[in-house]
Every structure is written in C-alpha cells, then in structure tokens.
C-alpha cells in the first residue's frame, strides 16, 4: 500500500451497513475516489462481517481504486453518542458488560486491518476511569493486550481524543507503557466534550500523535452538554491555526476529514473541507 505524502488530505469512510452506505467495497472505494482523495481511514462498524472473503474484497477494491488506508477504526455495536452521560455508559472498552466481547472484536478488527496491510488501529477507548478507581488498572491492562495484538502485526494503536483532558490522556499512555500506543487527535472532540483547548492539548501530546482527524465544532452552551459539530472551518477549532500547528510540531501523517452526518450534505461538506485543507496545506 502506498504511503501517503505528509499532510495528504483524506477522509474517514465506513465498511458500509449501520453507519455507512449499503454498498460493496468496490462501490464505497469508487465513491471515495470520486471525492478526489487517495487516502483515508476505514471505519469498521460493530456488526460488519470480518471474514477472509470480506478482507479479500476490501483488499482488491482498495488496490483497484488506489486508496491507501492509514488506519482501521473500530466502532462497537451498542455504542451511543446521544449525550455525554450515555456515551460514558456505552462507548469503548470501559463499559463492563461488553468488555470481554469488545476486546475480542477489537482483535478481529486488528487482524482484518493487518490482512489489508493497514499500519494502524484506532478506536474510542471510552471514558477512562480515574486513576484512583480500581477499574483503572483493568482498563490499562486491556489496552496493553490490544497494543500487543497490534504489535504482533507491526501495527500502531491510536486512541481517539475527546473524552479526556490531554493531561489525563497522556498519563494513561504513560501508565500503559507501550511504544506502539499513541493518539488519533480530533480537535473538534476536545471542543464537543468540553475537554480543553484543542491546540494547547495538541502541544501537550505532540510526541504521541500517530494520526489526526480534521473535524470542527462549536462549544457547548452549558457544561456537560454536547457542543455541535459543524462543517470544517465554521466551528471553534480554527482550521488555519490547527493545520499550522500540525506543521509546527512536524506531523507527517495524513489529514483525515471526519464529518459525522450522512447523505448529500455530508458529501458537500467533505468537498468543501478538501478544498479548505488543500489551501491550508499549501499555505
Ligand atoms: Mg474523530
């Protein structure tokens, strides 16, 4: 798989089904290329089939359309971002009732990514417990096992930002203590969750950034509420400052656009985002 150029613009797209369009890998890859990009992250929804035949179909489609996938991103069945309290109860490895099955599912997604030749795995780990909580060590140990599963394939593991402050996330990374563990930095999530100033956070975690999302959002009106995701360039991130900061810290990965709506509006917003990022990348 071709390694994207530094700051190459790409997009996150889904395996289909639940959150993506109902289409074959070939049709999905064709629609990605039709946007004018050649790289991205492949998000695998919780019920997506991960058989060898599915992996083969994806491998062929990516090759045919010359798309490089930099990350396989796992979502899990039962996750909900309806509100911040509901996301605490449903997202990632933290909810106890689904912890074992989700660890197994993560392993299957990692193996699927490895079969496609993808160099990195990512997910929302969930709201990490406070270090004083006895569950903290259990989540830490689980993340260690996932890191080791990735390392067996030569892959990195990137934790999506948002739920934690940068300082808390950095402490968690230190405690997990695995070289292949880092961050998928999402500046809009910091704003949407009210977890701190994105550019200050980026400065703090810069050594551990593996990949990034380019997403925008407006601050919540009151604490504990969601902010509102916006088209790129219309929210509170400050895309010009964000891309300039990525250049300043020497980030060499791709710029993956994430727009969490569906349909024609999503496509129009993504096209606008591509144009904006191409301009900022060249600036
Ligand atoms: Mg994101």
């Amino acid at each position: 798989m071709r390694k994207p150029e530094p700051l190459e613009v790409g997009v996150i797209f889904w395996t289909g089904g639940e959150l993506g369009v109902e289409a074959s890998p070939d049709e999905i890859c064709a629609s990605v290329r039709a946007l004018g990009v050649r790289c991205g992250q492949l998000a695998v929804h919780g019920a997506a089939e991960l058989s060898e035949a599915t992996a083969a179909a994806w491998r062929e489609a990516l090759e045919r359309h010359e798309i490089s996938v930099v990350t396989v991103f796992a979502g899990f069945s039962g996750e909900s971002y309806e509100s911040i309290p509901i996301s605490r109860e449903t997202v990632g490895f933290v909810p106890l009732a689904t912890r074992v099955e989700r660890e197994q599912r993560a392993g299957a997604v990692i193996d699927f990514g490895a079969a496609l030749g993808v160099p990195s795995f990512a997910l929302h780990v969930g709201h990490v417990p406070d270090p004083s909580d006895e569950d903290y060590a259990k989540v830490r140990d689980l993340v260690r096992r996932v890191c080791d599963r990735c390392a067996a394939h030569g892959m990195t593991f990137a934790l999506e930002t948002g739920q934690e402050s940068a300082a808390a996330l950095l402490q968690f990374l230190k405690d997990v203590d695995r070289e292949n563990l880092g961050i998928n930095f999402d500046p809009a999530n910091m704003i949407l969750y009210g977890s701190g100033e994105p550019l200050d956070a980026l400065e703090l975690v810069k050594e551990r950034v593996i990949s990034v999302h380019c997403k925008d959002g407006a601050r919540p009106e009151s604490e504990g509420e969601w902010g509102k995701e916006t088209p790129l360039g219309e929210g509170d991130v400050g895309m010009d400052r964000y891309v300039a900061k990525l250049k300043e810290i020497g980030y060499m990965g791709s710029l993956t656009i994430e727009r969490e709506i569906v349909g024609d509006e999503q496509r129009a917003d993504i096209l606008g985002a591509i144009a904006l990022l191409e301009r900022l990348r060249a600036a």
Side-chain angles (χ1 to χ4, degrees), residues 76-95 98 102 126-127:
F76 297 116
S77 297
E79 288 184 322
S80 169
Y81 295 88
E82 204 176 310
S83 69
I84 293 180
I86 290 173
S87 77
R88 282 186 175 276
E89 284 166 20
T90 64
V91 170
F93 291 136
V94 178
T98 49
R102 287 183 178 179
H127 293 255

Side-chain angles (χ1 to χ4, degrees), residues 77-256:
S77 297
E79 288 184 322
S80 169
Y81 295 88
E82 204 176 310
S83 69
I84 293 180
I86 290 173
S87 77
R88 282 186 175 276
E89 284 166 20
T90 64
V91 170
F93 291 136
V94 178
L96 258 179
T98 49
R99 195 175 283 174
V100 172
E101 67 183 58
R102 287 183 178 179
E103 183 177 353
Q104 287 171 356
R105 175 72 182 177
V109 176
I110 291 163
D111 294 349
F112 173 77
L116 304 187
V118 177
S120 190
F121 170 70
L123 48 62
H124 279 277
V125 75
H127 293 255
V128 176
D130 188 85
S132 64
D133 190 316
E134 60 178 28
D135 203 30
Y136 183 82
K138 290 179 184 151
V139 175
R140 178 201 65 200
D141 291 349
L142 192 165
V143 170
R144 282 179 179 164
R145 292 193 293 275
V146 175
C147 287
D148 296 345
R149 179 82 165 241
C150 289
H153 294 296
M155 293 165 77
T156 54
F157 178 20
L159 303 180
E160 172 85 345
T161 54
Q163 291 97 338
E164 276 68 46
S165 68
L169 195 59
L170 209 51
Q171 186 58 50
F172 184 66
L173 293 184
K174 282 183 184 147
D175 290 341
V176 174
D177 193 25
R178 287 293 185 274
E179 272 191 9
N180 67 331
L181 182 66
I183 285 172
N184 183 78
F185 191 81
D186 185 323
N189 282 353
M190 309 292 304
I191 286 176
L192 298 174
Y193 285 90
S195 310
E197 273 303 316
L199 297 197
D200 295 346
L202 184 52
E203 173 63 29
L204 208 58
V205 302
K206 63 184 177 185
E207 313 272 323
R208 306 298 299 263
V209 175
I210 292 173
S211 49
V212 302
H213 281 166
C214 293
K215 190 171 86 184
D216 213 340
R219 287 196 175 77
E221 287 179 8
S222 50
E223 206 178 319
E225 304 253 302
W226 279 125
K228 189 177 186 323
E229 196 200 336
T230 68
L232 211 68
E234 294 179 20
D236 291 326
V237 170
M239 269 308 134
D240 48 349
R241 289 181 301 145
Y242 178 51
V243 174
K245 184 71 186 175
L246 289 170
K247 290 177 185 174
E248 182 199 313
I249 66 170
Y251 173 71
M252 300 294 272
S254 51
L255 301 176
T256 301

